[in-house]
Amino acid sequence: MELKVGITGQSGFMGRHLYNYLSLKEELNLVNFDRSFFENTERLEEFVKSCDVIVHIAAINRHESQEFIYETNVGLVNKLISACEKTDSKPKIVFSSSTQEERDNLYGKSKRDGRNLLEKWAEKNEASIASLVIPNVFGPFGKPFYNSFIATFCYQITNGEEPKIINDSTVNIIYINELCESFYEEIKRNTRSISSKLVEHTSSNKVSEILSLLYQYKEAYMDKGEVPNVPMKSFELNLFNTFTSFIPKSYFPRSFIKHTDNRGAFVEIMRAGVSGQSSYSTTVPGITRGNHYHTRKVERFAVIKGKASIKLRKVDSDEVIEYFLDGDKPSYVDMPIWYTHNITNIGEEELVTLFWINEPYNPDDADTYFVEV
């Protein structure tokens, strides 16, 4: 049976990632949500009636007024409850709470009181509420100076600024894809109950250790064009993919150093501190390859012969980025995660492209999703 799932806060950092992640699950039917629904009673009521499960993420966590944070977050919960009661809807609600629930601040209090309100609604209406108490979250496309210190550090380093550590504490964190998996497991759980679960952090690091890794990525990747040692399915790979998501798109394409003599030419294509898979393709004029994206893989396209157009588009955006490469001046473009991409031969001769990816292709876990750019 197909589950209809809606996400409040769909356009925010966590909501956007969760929407993209759940869109890959064939048994789920996603119900679109817009932030304007909270100001339109009729649209909000239509939304709650359409959902079997609602993941309530919408909230603010930073504002100059703590009182505004509290009133806004509790107000959103009350609007959601009111819409459910008015329409006699009883969707399972998965509530995004925070480990700050027990801290002495109004953001934490708004999460605690919001959870209590939802639990009282569920008990009164014999409905289901599952609260996930979430640690600090990081991942690609976060909003600097808002979502996490990692987003701030990545933005500053990739834009030539110098981050400052205010408190070099040990931070318990979880990568956004890992958090999305926790949400998915709770969405699938077919229970009518009132529950609260602490989502365990997956990494514990000092702020200075994370900053040191980010500087290493900058030196190796941005300054030298090398992929650093980031083992597959590791905290380091997750941090690296987060870092690269902040690199300005004007950084590519990158030119290789071409050595020529009377024998011909030599170009070093790839230097990496991690193993991977190398391959090449030939493409006849006018043909396009690709039109797929990855959620974890690091991939490089290097054009060594012919003329090519490389296009990229973030899967939840209409903006298309295009690069032009020419084998007479060998260069490369790396593919960011969650960007569908393709390559087209726009010349009159055969196009030769070399590919490198940080993990061998596994048909049982391909991490390759086909979507037109």
Side-chain angles (χ1 to χ4, degrees):
M1 176 180 171
E2 195 175 58
L3 274 178
K4 296 178 181 178
V5 181
I7 304 166
T8 71
Q10 179 182 314
S11 62
F13 167 64
M14 284 173 50
R16 192 177 289 265
H17 272 282
L18 182 59
Y19 187 92
N20 292 338
Y21 179 91
L22 296 181
S23 69
L24 303 176
K25 309 301 181 182
E26 294 182 354
E27 74 274 25
L28 302 183
N29 181 7
L30 297 182
V31 179
N32 189 58
F33 179 87
D34 188 271
R35 65 178 66 188
S36 65
F37 290 4
F38 276 119
E39 306 305 322
N40 186 319
T41 302
E42 184 177 330
R43 296 298 300 276
L44 186 59
E45 290 174 0
E46 288 177 7
F47 172 74
V48 300
K49 285 193 298 183
S50 301
C51 296
D52 300 310
V53 180
I54 295 174
V55 183
H56 182 51
I57 293 177
I60 58 171
N61 55 26
R62 293 183 192 275
H63 193 273
E64 58 187 20
S65 168
Q66 287 287 307
E67 289 76 14
F68 181 80
I69 291 175
Y70 179 84
E71 291 171 3
T72 299
N73 292 348
V74 173
L76 295 178
V77 170
N78 278 322
K79 288 181 178 181
L80 188 62
I81 290 173
S82 177
C84 289
E85 289 183 335
K86 191 170 180 181
T87 58
D88 194 28
S89 300
K90 299 178 184 180
K92 176 179 181 178
I93 294 181
V94 181
F95 179 57
S96 170
S97 191
S98 166
T99 51
Q100 292 198 43
E101 269 197 17
E102 301 306 319
R103 295 186 185 179
D104 186 23
N105 63 62
L106 286 178
Y107 170 71
K109 188 174 187 298
S110 75
K111 286 295 186 180
R112 183 172 65 251
D113 290 355
R115 176 168 61 85
N116 289 335
L117 286 168
L118 286 167
E119 289 177 351
K120 288 178 181 177
W121 165 80
E123 185 175 4
K124 174 185 174 183
N125 294 277
E126 298 183 345
S128 181
I129 164 73
S131 297
L132 298 186
V133 182
I134 299 168
N136 293 294
V137 185
F138 78 100
F141 321 120
K143 185 178 179 180
F145 309 102
Y146 187 83
N147 286 129
S148 75
F149 74 93
I150 292 178
T152 302
F153 284 178
C154 289
Y155 173 83
Q156 291 176 315
I157 292 173
T158 56
N159 285 276
E161 300 176 11
E162 185 177 346
K164 289 183 172 55
I165 296 176
I166 298 174
N167 179 18
D168 192 16
S169 57
T170 297
V171 183
N172 296 329
I173 50 180
I174 186 170
Y175 185 54
I176 186 64
N177 284 17
E178 296 166 331
L179 176 60
C180 289
E181 177 67 22
S182 294
F183 275 116
Y184 175 55
E185 292 299 325
E186 188 56 55
I187 289 167
K188 290 193 304 178
R189 191 168 288 115
N190 186 21
T191 57
R192 282 286 171 181
S193 62
I194 297 172
S195 65
S196 180
K197 173 187 175 183
L198 175 66
V199 178
E200 294 292 339
H201 63 274
T202 53
S203 301
S204 186
N205 307 82
K206 291 192 71 173
V207 174
S208 58
E209 294 171 346
I210 292 173
L211 182 58
S212 176
L213 281 172
L214 294 174
Y215 270 124
Q216 290 176 40
Y217 298 160
K218 196 266 183 185
E219 180 182 4
Y221 187 72
M222 293 188 71
D223 297 346
K224 300 178 182 178
E226 302 174 6
V227 174
N229 183 11
V230 283
M232 291 188 296
K233 301 181 182 180
S234 65
F235 166 73
E236 290 81 3
L237 176 60
N238 296 336
L239 186 65
F240 177 71
N241 277 329
T242 300
F243 173 79
T244 59
S245 76
F246 286 87
I247 295 175
K249 294 301 174 280
S250 58
Y251 174 81
F252 291 107
R254 307 299 294 177
S255 297
F256 290 113
I257 298 175
K258 186 176 183 180
H259 305 275
T260 59
D261 57 24
N262 60 338
R263 298 169 298 175
F266 171 80
V267 175
E268 181 182 283
I269 296 298
M270 187 71 205
R271 185 171 293 195
V274 61
S275 60
Q277 177 177 299
S278 298
S279 55
Y280 83 95
S281 73
T282 62
T283 307
V284 299
I287 296 299
T288 297
R289 292 180 177 273
N291 285 316
H292 62 247
Y293 68 93
H294 312 292
T295 67
R296 66 171 186 266
K297 290 180 176 179
V298 183
E299 186 175 31
R300 174 166 296 182
F301 285 18
V303 171
I304 61 170
K305 180 186 176 185
K307 300 180 188 297
S309 161
I310 293 177
K311 293 181 179 179
L312 302 92
R313 179 180 61 81
K314 194 164 176 281
V315 294
D316 53 15
S317 170
D318 293 328
E319 180 187 5
V320 176
I321 301 161
E322 185 171 18
Y323 300 110
F324 297 98
L325 289 78
D326 190 329
D328 289 342
K329 297 178 180 178
S331 54
Y332 68 90
V333 175
D334 289 350
M335 306 300 133
I337 58 172
W338 293 106
Y339 274 79
T340 185
H341 47 269
N342 65 28
I343 183 168
T344 302
N345 184 345
I346 59 173
E348 298 179 355
E349 63 175 341
E350 182 180 65
L351 172 67
V352 179
T353 310
L354 300 185
F355 304 95
W356 176 87
I357 200 159
N358 70 317
E359 58 180 88
Y361 182 76
N362 178 0
D364 296 324
D365 185 19
D367 188 42
T368 300
Y369 305 95
F370 290 89
V371 175
E372 291 285 331
V373 174

